[in-house]
Amino acid sequence: MYPAPISEYFAPSTLEECLDLLDQYGNQAKILAGGQSLIPLLKLRMADAPIIIDINRVIELQEFGEKFLESGNRVLRIGALTRHKTLASHPLVLSKYPIISDAAKYIGDVQIRNRGTIGGSLVHADPAADLPVPILVLDSTLRLVSKDGERTFSADEFFLGLMMTVIEPNEILAHIDIPSPQPGTGAAYYKYSAVFGDFAIISIGARITLQDGICQSSRIYLGGVNPRPQRAVETEEFLNGKTITSEILQKATDVMVEEVIVESDMRASDTFRKVLLKQYGFDVLSKAVQRAKEEQI
Amino acid sequence: MHPLQDVQKPGVEGTKTIQVRVNGQIYKREVPIRMLLVDFLREELGLTGTHVGCSVEGRCGACTIVLNGNNVKSCLLLAVQADGADILTVEGLGEPDNLHPIQEGFWEKHGLQCGYCTPGMMMSVYNLLKVNPHPSVAEIREALVGNICRCTGYEHIIEAVQYAADRIAAMPKEERDKLFSY
Ligand SMILES: Cc1cc2nc3c(=O)[nH]c(=O)nc-3n(C[C@H](O)[C@H](O)[C@H](O)COP(=O)(O)OP(=O)(O)OC[C@H]3O[C@@H](n4cnc5c(N)ncnc54)[C@H](O)[C@@H]3O)c2cc1C
Ligand code: FES
Ligand code: FES
């Protein structure tokens, strides 16, 4: 099946050229990154793009690694064009940020991961996508750039709803910054899908900071259950200040199942989703606690 | 912005001239911008070994090719994106009287029935064996998640990959490198 006719295709090699083109063509233009979501949408005529701006050659969007900001804070910077494959297998991710590879390594299949990018996944904002959850759990910031300047959002502000974000048609998501965690922090992610490499029926991401066995702070998001990933605030509050034992994690899982509002859709009923959250919530929390001891998020 | 609310009027049919190297041969063609890479290979170049199984969502993997060293689904790329690229399709894998060990594996181990999935399957196997010469059964299965077979039940495909891996492992290094030049 073909996309509708496309009049112009640009493949600029600098960010500046991209921004000029976006400025010139406004919402006639669509950015093409990995194409793993956009091309199917174009074929289905659910999106139309008279002008395509292919960003795959833009070097500025391919940054990847730890760096110090002007503030002196260290972050892991992930350029928007970073492929799922890199996030699934990069030694830095595996050793220090395994929650990201937890999520990236079961996105689709090898071919999808070879092409798909984190920027495309976050902007597409599929409620069942894998990467939004760890990005939210790690309190990341997202940098949007346009001809008019730059805007920075926390991940929580960035996602608005079903396939909806704050991004404007003339903006590009340039990179994501993940702040360095407090000492004693661990994080983990798990998704349940119908078949290997499919979108999440439910997914759970958790980050826990421990000091002398006591939970100092926590962050929990659930994916696949709602139009956008949902934060489990009551569960966080339940955990904070408590000495972590397996019994407490079990109780925290019950709080989570209780507080979360889940929906039914063609892939799963709300009841089944709650059963899955009960089943896997404890595992994810335990994994985060285990990683806290190894200083891995 | 919601992508589904942003439906524009379609553009005028634009075209672009691209140059691509496919299986070692250079082709220069003017193509419609909306033409998918898989259709370029099949319709423009007549390389019909690359198949189309699902046409919209990019799930089946029958259209898998190796593009600049990575296996990708050619139904999820525009042909214009391949300008300047180096591509391997099943036609470039081996010759009928000089099969690539991967093809030999599928032949010897009965790794196909109708054969529809086979070209894409072999491109994913190519990418697997290039980086992992001794894959475990679990690794073979993971590498083939994106290639659906409706006939074999996969068991014989796994045996085919193991056969190919053993054959390749027994070869001298220069010969092995030649088999994986993409
Ligand atoms: C068969 C299949 C299975 C899949 N399974 C999963 C899965 O299990 N889990 C999962 O999470 N995902 C899955 N996906 C989706 C996949 O992860 C996509 O790669 C991802 O959603 C989109 O990334 P992309 O780089 O391909 O973006 P594209 O398709 O190129 O773009 C998506 C949207 O984002 C916009 N965009 C892209 N980059 C930028 C940028 N830097 N700035 C501004 N706008 C931008 C585009 O204009 C477009 O609207 C699957 C896809 C397929 C085809
Ligand atoms: S034709 Fe099915 S994945 Fe490309
Ligand atoms: S052999 Fe028929 S689909 Fe695989």
Side-chain angles (χ1 to χ4, degrees):
Chain A
M1 197 188 266
Y2 263 35
I6 302 169
S7 331
E8 297 246 38
Y9 167 85
F10 300 98
S13 52
T14 67
L15 188 55
E16 201 185 337
E17 287 170 82
C18 288
L19 299 180
D20 284 341
L21 287 164
L22 280 174
D23 190 54
Q24 184 179 345
Y25 292 106
N27 61 2
Q28 290 284 301
K30 268 250 181 293
I31 293 170
L32 175 62
Q36 308 298 290
S37 298
L38 182 59
I39 301 283
L41 282 180
L42 290 174
K43 290 189 211 173
L44 289 164
R45 314 288 160 107
M46 287 163 97
D48 260 323
I51 316 275
I52 291 272
I53 305 173
D54 179 349
I55 58 174
N56 283 281
R57 292 180 165 86
V58 181
I59 309 288
E60 290 107 309
L61 301 176
Q62 299 181 26
E63 256 185 290
F64 183 83
E66 290 183 320
K67 66 179 290 170
F68 284 96
L69 303 179
E70 273 169 27
S71 60
N73 294 336
R74 199 190 62 204
V75 297
L76 172 65
R77 174 156 298 176
I78 306 177
L81 259 187
T82 308
R83 313 264 171 204
H84 304 333
K85 175 192 184 176
T86 307
L87 298 177
S89 61
H90 196 285
L92 179 63
V93 176
L94 295 176
S95 62
K96 285 180 74 178
Y97 305 89
I99 185 178
I100 299 176
S101 55
D102 289 348
K105 70 183 174 199
Y106 298 119
I107 296 178
D109 49 53
V110 177
Q111 295 97 310
I112 303 296
R113 295 193 294 273
N114 278 340
R115 289 299 303 173
T117 68
I118 185 167
S121 178
L122 299 182
V123 172
H124 187 59
D126 189 308
D130 287 291
L131 292 173
V133 172
I135 292 307
L136 284 158
V137 163
L138 298 179
D139 278 352
S140 320
T141 50
L142 288 79
R143 172 67 57 91
L144 307 180
V145 292
S146 73
K147 200 77 178 149
D148 307 331
E150 303 189 344
R151 301 196 296 158
T152 303
F153 290 91
S154 72
D156 202 60
E157 296 161 334
F158 180 78
F159 295 104
L160 295 178
L162 180 73
M163 295 172 135
M164 239 186 319
T165 71
V166 297
I167 199 160
E168 294 291 338
N170 68 338
E171 283 182 312
I172 287 188
L173 170 60
H175 59 245
I176 299 103
D177 278 346
I178 296 177
S180 334
Q182 303 269 311
T185 304
Y189 172 87
Y190 178 81
K191 90 160 150 187
Y192 180 89
S193 55
V195 293
F196 211 85
D198 200 359
F199 281 97
I201 287 178
I202 56 114
S203 66
I204 309 167
R207 171 168 62 88
I208 294 177
T209 303
L210 290 178
Q211 202 184 331
D212 304 325
I214 299 168
C215 176
Q216 305 297 316
S217 66
S218 55
R219 189 71 86 240
I220 299 164
Y221 276 94
L222 308 171
V225 294
N226 251 303
R228 59 148 276 177
Q230 187 183 342
R231 186 168 160 193
V233 184
E234 286 170 31
T235 315
E236 293 173 10
E237 280 166 5
F238 174 84
L239 284 168
N240 296 346
K242 291 217 167 57
T243 302
I244 297 302
T245 59
S246 146
E247 207 189 340
I248 290 293
L249 295 184
Q250 202 73 63
K251 282 196 181 137
T253 306
D254 293 340
V255 175
M256 189 175 87
V257 174
E258 199 53 47
E259 81 166 297
V260 65
I261 303 159
V262 298
E263 294 183 357
S264 294
D265 61 20
M266 62 178 185
R267 290 183 305 135
S269 67
D270 50 356
T271 315
F272 182 48
R273 286 196 159 97
K274 289 236 173 190
V275 170
L276 292 171
L277 289 172
K278 185 152 176 59
Q279 173 88 16
Y280 295 108
F282 175 78
D283 295 352
V284 174
L285 294 174
S286 307
K287 185 105 197 178
V289 166
Q290 182 202 324
R291 283 186 179 156
K293 292 173 188 146
E294 290 145 27
E295 306 271 339
Q296 290 182 322
I297 58 169
Chain B
M1 197 178 69
H2 195 300
L4 307 189
Q5 285 171 352
D6 189 37
V7 176
Q8 304 288 331
K9 288 212 166 51
V12 189
E13 186 84 69
T15 63
K16 194 172 180 290
T17 300
I18 59 169
Q19 184 169 309
V20 206
R21 193 165 154 248
V22 185
N23 304 329
Q25 196 178 327
I26 291 177
Y27 300 89
K28 199 169 173 183
R29 291 281 195 287
E30 187 182 346
V31 296
I33 293 168
R34 63 166 158 163
M35 178 178 254
L36 300 171
L37 182 54
V38 66
D39 294 316
F40 174 74
L41 295 168
R42 291 177 56 84
E43 313 296 332
E44 283 290 322
L45 306 187
L47 297 170
T48 52
T50 303
H51 292 167
V52 180
C54 61
S55 92
V56 177
E57 53 170 327
R59 198 38 85 192
C60 75
C63 66
T64 303
I65 58 163
V66 178
L67 174 89
N68 294 333
N70 288 310
N71 56 330
V72 300
K73 294 172 181 171
S74 59
C75 73
L76 292 181
L77 280 150
L78 300 174
V80 290
Q81 288 184 272
D83 189 18
D86 202 0
I87 290 173
L88 173 70
T89 69
V90 68
E91 288 91 346
L93 207 50
E95 302 290 328
D97 50 4
N98 180 25
L99 296 180
H100 190 285
I102 295 172
Q103 294 169 311
E104 210 183 300
F106 275 76
W107 174 281
E108 288 296 332
K109 293 294 169 183
H110 202 63
L112 64 149
Q113 288 176 30
C114 78
Y116 202 87
C117 68
T118 316
M121 204 58 94
M122 292 200 289
M123 290 294 114
S124 289
V125 174
Y126 182 94
N127 232 61
L128 168 69
L129 294 182
K130 186 174 67 177
V131 293
N132 183 357
H134 303 288
S136 65
V137 171
E139 286 169 335
I140 297 171
R141 286 184 179 276
E142 271 202 38
L144 298 179
V145 165
N147 294 83
I148 294 174
C149 177
R150 284 293 182 241
C151 303
T152 62
Y154 301 99
E155 293 301 327
H156 290 239
I157 294 178
I158 289 162
E159 286 171 25
V161 179
Q162 288 170 324
Y163 179 97
D166 291 345
R167 276 275 285 118
I168 295 163
M171 291 177 172
K173 188 173 178 323
E174 313 83 74
E175 252 182 80
R176 264 184 281 151
D177 290 348
K178 253 189 265 162
L179 289 174
F180 293 102
S181 57
Y182 279 85

